[in-house]
Short mmCIF file of all heavy atoms in Angstrom, two decimals:
data_model
loop_
_atom_site.label_atom_id
_atom_site.label_comp_id
_atom_site.label_asym_id
_atom_site.label_seq_id
_atom_site.Cartn_x
_atom_site.Cartn_y
_atom_site.Cartn_z
N THR A 1508 21.75 28.47 -4.07
CA THR A 1508 20.87 27.34 -4.37
C THR A 1508 19.39 27.70 -4.17
O THR A 1508 18.56 27.40 -5.03
CB THR A 1508 21.22 26.13 -3.46
OG1 THR A 1508 22.63 26.02 -3.41
CG2 THR A 1508 20.59 24.87 -3.97
N GLU A 1509 19.08 28.34 -3.04
CA GLU A 1509 17.66 28.62 -2.74
C GLU A 1509 17.04 29.51 -3.82
O GLU A 1509 15.88 29.34 -4.19
CB GLU A 1509 17.52 29.27 -1.36
CG GLU A 1509 17.81 28.33 -0.21
CD GLU A 1509 16.98 27.04 -0.26
OE1 GLU A 1509 15.75 27.15 -0.42
OE2 GLU A 1509 17.58 25.94 -0.19
N ASN A 1510 17.81 30.48 -4.30
CA ASN A 1510 17.30 31.37 -5.34
C ASN A 1510 17.15 30.67 -6.68
O ASN A 1510 16.14 30.82 -7.36
CB ASN A 1510 18.23 32.59 -5.50
CG ASN A 1510 18.04 33.56 -4.35
OD1 ASN A 1510 17.12 33.39 -3.54
ND2 ASN A 1510 18.89 34.56 -4.28
N ILE A 1511 18.14 29.88 -7.02
CA ILE A 1511 18.12 29.18 -8.31
C ILE A 1511 16.98 28.16 -8.35
O ILE A 1511 16.31 27.97 -9.36
CB ILE A 1511 19.50 28.52 -8.58
CG1 ILE A 1511 20.53 29.60 -8.87
CG2 ILE A 1511 19.42 27.48 -9.69
CD1 ILE A 1511 20.34 30.38 -10.15
N LYS A 1512 16.76 27.50 -7.21
CA LYS A 1512 15.70 26.47 -7.16
C LYS A 1512 14.31 27.02 -7.47
O LYS A 1512 13.43 26.29 -7.89
CB LYS A 1512 15.68 25.80 -5.77
CG LYS A 1512 16.67 24.66 -5.65
CD LYS A 1512 16.68 24.09 -4.25
CE LYS A 1512 15.48 23.18 -3.97
NZ LYS A 1512 15.56 22.61 -2.61
N THR A 1513 14.11 28.33 -7.24
CA THR A 1513 12.77 28.89 -7.49
C THR A 1513 12.44 28.94 -8.98
O THR A 1513 11.30 29.17 -9.35
CB THR A 1513 12.66 30.34 -6.95
OG1 THR A 1513 13.58 31.17 -7.68
CG2 THR A 1513 12.95 30.43 -5.47
N GLN A 1514 13.45 28.77 -9.83
CA GLN A 1514 13.24 28.95 -11.26
C GLN A 1514 12.97 27.61 -11.94
O GLN A 1514 13.83 26.73 -11.95
CB GLN A 1514 14.47 29.64 -11.87
CG GLN A 1514 14.71 31.01 -11.28
CD GLN A 1514 13.54 31.96 -11.54
OE1 GLN A 1514 13.03 32.05 -12.67
NE2 GLN A 1514 13.11 32.66 -10.50
N LYS A 1515 11.77 27.50 -12.50
CA LYS A 1515 11.38 26.19 -13.02
C LYS A 1515 12.12 25.79 -14.28
O LYS A 1515 12.00 24.66 -14.75
CB LYS A 1515 9.87 26.18 -13.25
CG LYS A 1515 9.10 26.27 -11.95
CD LYS A 1515 7.63 26.06 -12.17
CE LYS A 1515 6.91 26.14 -10.83
NZ LYS A 1515 5.46 26.15 -11.01
N VAL A 1516 12.89 26.73 -14.84
CA VAL A 1516 13.69 26.39 -16.01
C VAL A 1516 14.89 25.52 -15.58
O VAL A 1516 15.51 24.84 -16.40
CB VAL A 1516 14.14 27.69 -16.73
CG1 VAL A 1516 15.20 28.43 -15.93
CG2 VAL A 1516 14.58 27.44 -18.15
N ILE A 1517 15.18 25.51 -14.29
CA ILE A 1517 16.30 24.72 -13.78
C ILE A 1517 15.79 23.39 -13.24
O ILE A 1517 15.01 23.36 -12.28
CB ILE A 1517 17.01 25.46 -12.60
CG1 ILE A 1517 17.38 26.89 -12.99
CG2 ILE A 1517 18.21 24.67 -12.06
CD1 ILE A 1517 18.51 27.01 -13.97
N PRO A 1518 16.18 22.27 -13.84
CA PRO A 1518 15.70 20.99 -13.31
C PRO A 1518 16.31 20.68 -11.93
O PRO A 1518 17.52 20.85 -11.75
CB PRO A 1518 16.15 19.96 -14.35
CG PRO A 1518 17.13 20.64 -15.22
CD PRO A 1518 16.99 22.12 -15.04
N LEU A 1519 15.45 20.26 -11.02
CA LEU A 1519 15.96 19.87 -9.70
C LEU A 1519 16.54 18.46 -9.79
O LEU A 1519 17.32 18.03 -8.96
CB LEU A 1519 14.84 19.92 -8.66
CG LEU A 1519 14.17 21.29 -8.48
CD1 LEU A 1519 13.07 21.21 -7.44
CD2 LEU A 1519 15.20 22.34 -8.09
N LYS A 1520 16.10 17.76 -10.86
CA LYS A 1520 16.62 16.41 -11.08
C LYS A 1520 16.85 16.27 -12.58
O LYS A 1520 16.02 16.71 -13.37
CB LYS A 1520 15.56 15.40 -10.61
CG LYS A 1520 15.92 13.98 -10.84
CD LYS A 1520 14.87 13.06 -10.21
CE LYS A 1520 15.14 11.62 -10.52
NZ LYS A 1520 14.66 11.21 -11.84
N LEU A 1521 17.99 15.71 -12.94
CA LEU A 1521 18.29 15.56 -14.36
C LEU A 1521 17.44 14.45 -14.97
O LEU A 1521 17.14 13.46 -14.31
CB LEU A 1521 19.77 15.23 -14.57
CG LEU A 1521 20.77 16.29 -14.11
CD1 LEU A 1521 22.19 15.78 -14.27
CD2 LEU A 1521 20.58 17.59 -14.88
N ASN A 1522 17.09 14.64 -16.21
CA ASN A 1522 16.33 13.61 -16.89
C ASN A 1522 17.30 12.56 -17.43
O ASN A 1522 17.65 12.55 -18.60
CB ASN A 1522 15.53 14.27 -18.03
CG ASN A 1522 14.74 13.27 -18.83
OD1 ASN A 1522 14.45 12.17 -18.33
ND2 ASN A 1522 14.39 13.61 -20.05
N SER A 1523 17.76 11.71 -16.52
CA SER A 1523 18.72 10.69 -16.93
C SER A 1523 18.58 9.47 -16.03
O SER A 1523 18.45 9.60 -14.81
CB SER A 1523 20.13 11.26 -16.81
OG SER A 1523 21.07 10.22 -16.85
N GLN A 1524 18.61 8.30 -16.66
CA GLN A 1524 18.53 7.06 -15.89
C GLN A 1524 19.87 6.76 -15.23
O GLN A 1524 19.96 6.08 -14.23
CB GLN A 1524 18.19 5.87 -16.81
CG GLN A 1524 16.85 5.97 -17.52
CD GLN A 1524 15.70 6.06 -16.52
OE1 GLN A 1524 15.71 5.40 -15.48
NE2 GLN A 1524 14.72 6.90 -16.82
N ASP A 1525 20.92 7.31 -15.87
CA ASP A 1525 22.26 6.91 -15.47
C ASP A 1525 23.18 8.13 -15.36
O ASP A 1525 24.16 8.26 -16.08
CB ASP A 1525 22.77 5.97 -16.58
CG ASP A 1525 23.78 5.02 -16.03
OD1 ASP A 1525 23.94 4.98 -14.79
OD2 ASP A 1525 24.43 4.34 -16.84
N PRO A 1526 22.84 9.02 -14.42
CA PRO A 1526 23.61 10.27 -14.35
C PRO A 1526 24.99 10.06 -13.75
O PRO A 1526 25.22 9.06 -13.06
CB PRO A 1526 22.76 11.14 -13.43
CG PRO A 1526 22.03 10.16 -12.57
CD PRO A 1526 21.82 8.93 -13.37
N PRO A 1527 25.94 10.98 -13.97
CA PRO A 1527 27.25 10.88 -13.32
C PRO A 1527 27.09 10.99 -11.80
O PRO A 1527 26.08 11.53 -11.33
CB PRO A 1527 28.02 12.08 -13.84
CG PRO A 1527 27.18 12.73 -14.86
CD PRO A 1527 25.81 12.17 -14.80
N ASP A 1528 28.10 10.52 -11.07
CA ASP A 1528 28.02 10.62 -9.60
C ASP A 1528 27.96 12.09 -9.20
O ASP A 1528 27.14 12.50 -8.40
CB ASP A 1528 29.24 9.95 -8.96
CG ASP A 1528 29.27 8.47 -9.30
OD1 ASP A 1528 28.17 7.93 -9.55
OD2 ASP A 1528 30.37 7.89 -9.35
N ILE A 1529 28.90 12.84 -9.75
CA ILE A 1529 28.92 14.28 -9.47
C ILE A 1529 29.24 15.01 -10.77
O ILE A 1529 30.17 14.62 -11.49
CB ILE A 1529 30.00 14.65 -8.43
CG1 ILE A 1529 29.66 14.00 -7.09
CG2 ILE A 1529 30.13 16.17 -8.28
CD1 ILE A 1529 30.69 14.25 -6.01
N VAL A 1530 28.47 16.03 -11.06
CA VAL A 1530 28.80 16.83 -12.24
C VAL A 1530 28.54 18.30 -11.95
O VAL A 1530 27.56 18.65 -11.28
CB VAL A 1530 28.04 16.33 -13.50
CG1 VAL A 1530 26.55 16.48 -13.35
CG2 VAL A 1530 28.50 17.06 -14.75
N GLU A 1531 29.48 19.14 -12.38
CA GLU A 1531 29.26 20.60 -12.28
C GLU A 1531 28.91 21.11 -13.67
O GLU A 1531 29.65 20.87 -14.63
CB GLU A 1531 30.56 21.29 -11.83
CG GLU A 1531 30.83 21.20 -10.35
CD GLU A 1531 32.13 21.93 -9.98
OE1 GLU A 1531 33.12 21.80 -10.73
OE2 GLU A 1531 32.16 22.60 -8.94
N ILE A 1532 27.79 21.78 -13.74
CA ILE A 1532 27.33 22.29 -15.03
C ILE A 1532 27.41 23.82 -14.99
O ILE A 1532 26.89 24.43 -14.05
CB ILE A 1532 25.85 21.92 -15.30
CG1 ILE A 1532 25.58 20.44 -15.03
CG2 ILE A 1532 25.42 22.33 -16.69
CD1 ILE A 1532 26.03 19.52 -16.07
N ARG A 1533 28.05 24.39 -15.99
CA ARG A 1533 28.20 25.85 -16.00
C ARG A 1533 27.36 26.48 -17.10
O ARG A 1533 27.22 25.94 -18.19
CB ARG A 1533 29.68 26.23 -16.26
CG ARG A 1533 30.47 26.38 -14.97
CD ARG A 1533 30.87 25.00 -14.46
NE ARG A 1533 31.35 25.00 -13.09
CZ ARG A 1533 32.64 24.97 -12.76
NH1 ARG A 1533 33.57 24.95 -13.69
NH2 ARG A 1533 32.99 24.95 -11.49
N GLY A 1534 26.83 27.64 -16.75
CA GLY A 1534 26.02 28.33 -17.74
C GLY A 1534 25.74 29.75 -17.31
O GLY A 1534 26.39 30.29 -16.40
N GLU A 1535 24.78 30.32 -17.96
CA GLU A 1535 24.47 31.74 -17.75
C GLU A 1535 23.00 31.88 -17.39
O GLU A 1535 22.14 31.31 -18.05
CB GLU A 1535 24.74 32.45 -19.09
CG GLU A 1535 25.15 33.85 -18.99
CD GLU A 1535 26.61 34.03 -18.54
OE1 GLU A 1535 27.32 33.02 -18.33
OE2 GLU A 1535 27.00 35.19 -18.39
#
Side-chain angles (χ1 to χ4, degrees):
T1508 317
E1509 289 307 309
N1510 285 352
I1511 289 293
K1512 275 176 77 178
T1513 63
Q1514 299 298 313
K1515 293 188 180 171
V1516 72
I1517 308 289
L1519 301 179
K1520 177 174 175 278
L1521 297 176
N1522 178 21
S1523 165
Q1524 298 300 322
D1525 207 9
D1528 298 334
I1529 296 178
V1530 64
E1531 281 180 318
I1532 312 281
R1533 269 80 194 260
E1535 209 76 2

